[in-house]
Amino acid sequence: AGGTPALPAALREPEARRGASNENAMRVAGEMIAGVRARGDAFVREQVERFDGVTIDDILITPRDASIDAAMRDAIELAIERIEAFHTPQLPQSYRWNGIEHRVRPLRRVGIYVPGGRAVYLSTLIMCAVPARIAGVRELVVITTPTAAARDELHYACSRLGISAIYQCGGAAGIAAAAFGTESLERVDKIVGPGNQYVTAAKAQLVGTVGIDMTAGPTELVVIADESSNVALVQADLDAQAEHGPDSAVICISVGCSLDVRATLNFSVATVDAAIALADRIAPEHVSIHARGAAGLAERLENCGAIFCGPFSPVAAGDYVAGPNHVLPTGGSARFFSPLGVYDFVKRSNVIALSAEELAEISAAGERIAVFEGLPKHAASMAIRRTYVA
């Protein structure tokens, strides 16, 4: 009692499969990274021809003026408006304490990975670019496939969001190109945005060469339901997340009943406490609460990227137009990762400017700790200043 509940066997088996898949992805990503590091644009062109079946003259292109369907334009504008309104209060502030400054500055150059395989994820572009702009990032470049880069809708959104360049290479090679830079692409300081397992593996291997937001995997949804739930709405939410692909994890936890729904896993538990404990143990990307007292249950949940409360809060609305970010931690990483936000696009520095009097007040304590740690020259560098105090 009181400990972390064991993960059910039905959940451990998919995790083992995913681990084996990740090993292969890490190997392939490593090959892509080595190729880009050694040969730059020439290697990238080969990968574009290999995976996309096209030969491109310019890997790096500038967003063009594009006309799109008026209804789609209005939908993009509504999404931008709501996402801006939600994210603006997240902007961290510099502050001063006793003359010492904690300085917050925007990153200079950020790469946004926009998946462009089966679909062009305009929503991901908006979710990444809007908080970056609020933070004050000066240069944004989109990394995506040639197919996605050909779409007028992508060019419209890029122009609307002040994005300066599109790099036409998806997958791990595109991530590596942004991290290292090539003949045509200046390297970026950070890469954000989810992708497939190869993109995730490349980001993980390049941490330290470039900043990343998080290591994102297949989408996850846990629904908490009870006998009061509308089964059609529960199923609609499960089906929506399953639509991302066969590796999506859509899980239903029913409290005090057994709902007849199609899901990756379908659990029945006796109590709300058990449902919350299991959801927290899974630590999923999304939790959707269709049970009574949804707000109270949401307050008790600890480990999840986003929580959707009640029958009229579909997870899909959060993917597009609700306002909060849809770039969320997956694979159990909601225990320590957070949704993408403005805070991901700033860096922090501390500026220390002590007066002689301030140093005199604290130096003895610092010297004592330095000596204890076996660093006498650290102590001496503070002690010598006493000579200069008037």
Side-chain angles (χ1 to χ4, degrees), residues 6-244:
L7 201 62
L11 281 171
R12 290 198 299 271
E13 193 269 335
E15 283 196 349
R17 283 203 315 269
R18 186 175 298 168
S21 176
N22 286 345
E23 287 183 15
N24 176 64
M26 292 294 276
R27 179 186 58 78
V28 172
E31 294 171 358
M32 295 291 124
I33 290 167
V36 171
R37 190 200 297 267
R39 300 179 53 226
D41 281 343
F43 182 83
V44 168
R45 283 191 171 89
E46 290 174 4
Q47 302 316 303
V48 168
E49 189 165 358
R50 174 185 173 191
F51 290 107
D52 299 284
V54 297
T55 301
I56 54 177
D57 295 325
D58 299 311
I59 306 174
L60 187 70
I61 61 174
T62 302
R64 64 174 182 266
D65 291 333
S67 297
I68 63 172
D69 174 76
M72 174 60 81
R73 184 191 64 229
D74 291 346
I76 290 171
E77 292 299 329
L78 177 65
I80 291 172
E81 176 186 340
R82 291 183 63 88
I83 294 162
E84 280 182 344
F86 179 83
H87 285 79
T88 296
Q90 292 179 356
L91 183 63
Q93 300 296 318
S94 301
Y95 65 87
R96 286 185 174 274
W97 172 80
N98 285 352
I100 299 172
E101 179 188 5
H102 178 69
R103 178 188 292 172
V104 179
R105 296 275 174 86
L107 300 177
R108 184 185 68 86
R109 184 173 170 84
V110 169
I112 299 173
Y113 190 84
V114 177
R118 296 184 306 147
V120 180
Y121 284 84
L122 290 179
S123 55
T124 294
L125 171 58
I126 297 168
M127 293 287 179
C128 293
V130 167
R133 284 298 177 198
I134 293 169
V137 175
R138 284 167 281 175
E139 298 176 26
L140 292 173
V141 57
V142 164
I143 309 149
T144 193
T145 64
T147 300
R151 296 292 296 267
D152 286 342
E153 293 84 356
L154 184 85
H155 284 263
Y156 174 85
C158 284
S159 298
R160 170 66 177 79
L161 293 164
I163 291 165
S164 58
I166 300 171
Y167 197 76
Q168 300 187 89
C169 180
I175 297 297
F180 295 132
T182 66
E183 298 90 330
S184 63
L185 179 65
E186 180 188 349
R187 72 177 184 178
V188 301
D189 301 316
K190 188 168 189 174
I191 300 172
V192 300
N196 63 21
Q197 60 183 334
Y198 304 105
V199 167
T200 298
K203 286 168 71 177
Q205 290 185 46
L206 288 164
V207 170
T209 298
V210 70
I212 69 166
D213 49 355
M214 63 189 80
T215 52
T219 192
E220 301 158 343
L221 167 64
V222 168
V223 171
I224 298 177
D226 62 15
E227 76 280 0
S228 72
S229 303
N230 183 316
V231 176
L233 299 183
V234 171
Q235 189 65 66
D237 285 350
L238 293 166
D239 289 347
Q241 291 309 114
E243 190 174 30
H244 281 290

Side-chain angles (χ1 to χ4, degrees), residues 350-375:
N350 295 320
V351 182
I352 297 93
L354 299 174
S355 68
E357 292 74 21
E358 286 172 320
L359 179 61
E361 290 177 7
I362 63 176
S363 181
E367 292 166 40
R368 187 168 290 110
I369 296 170
V371 169
F372 173 81
E373 292 182 349
L375 299 169

